[in-house]
Amino acid sequence: EKAILLAQEINTKEEKQRQLEEKMEAERRGNEETMIQMKKKLDEEMRHQREEAQCAMDSKLREQAALLEKGFKEKADRMSEEIEDFRRKNENAEKE
């Protein structure tokens, strides 16, 4: 009878050990999956930030190009006015 009780106790402890190992394995897999998901999310956020930074840089470059173009156009317009003014002065000087 003691041997039967001892065998039952051993079986019970082995079953508890097996359940504990299964629970630990399930937690490990769960933690591993959580880490994979967190890494994916972090990678996605970093990709998104790089895209936003690139868009901001592209916008600044377009703005810079527009300002340069505007500056050159304004300078060219001023030069045209100066040339026209010089032409008028020359014509007036020739008439006098």
Side-chain angles (χ1 to χ4, degrees):
E1 194 176 301
K2 283 185 178 183
I4 293 172
L5 288 175
L6 186 57
Q8 287 176 346
E9 188 178 324
I10 289 172
N11 286 340
T12 302
K13 286 184 179 183
E14 286 176 348
E15 179 63 22
K16 284 183 180 180
Q17 179 68 26
R18 186 185 60 75
Q19 288 175 354
L20 180 60
E21 287 174 359
E22 286 177 0
K23 183 179 178 183
M24 289 174 61
E25 179 63 19
E27 284 183 18
R28 184 193 65 76
R29 284 192 308 268
N31 289 341
E32 199 172 278
E33 183 62 30
T34 300
M35 291 297 289
I36 290 169
Q37 292 301 322
M38 289 174 67
K39 184 178 182 327
K40 284 181 182 178
K41 184 176 180 181
L42 180 61
D43 289 346
E44 180 64 22
E45 287 175 0
M46 291 178 70
R47 184 190 62 77
H48 184 68
Q49 287 179 352
R50 283 192 301 269
E51 286 176 357
E52 285 182 346
Q54 186 62 47
C55 284
M57 178 64 76
D58 291 346
S59 175
K60 291 292 182 186
L61 289 171
R62 284 191 302 272
E63 183 179 342
Q64 180 187 32
L67 288 172
L68 284 172
E69 186 176 322
K70 180 181 177 185
F72 288 132
K73 183 174 178 352
E74 288 175 354
K75 190 171 185 177
D77 289 346
R78 280 196 307 269
M79 289 180 75
S80 292
E81 289 174 9
E82 289 175 10
I83 291 169
E84 188 59 35
D85 188 43
F86 182 73
R87 206 174 271 147
R88 272 183 263 140
K89 286 180 182 177
N90 274 344
E91 286 176 3
N92 289 338
E94 286 179 11
K95 289 180 183 177
E96 294 178 355

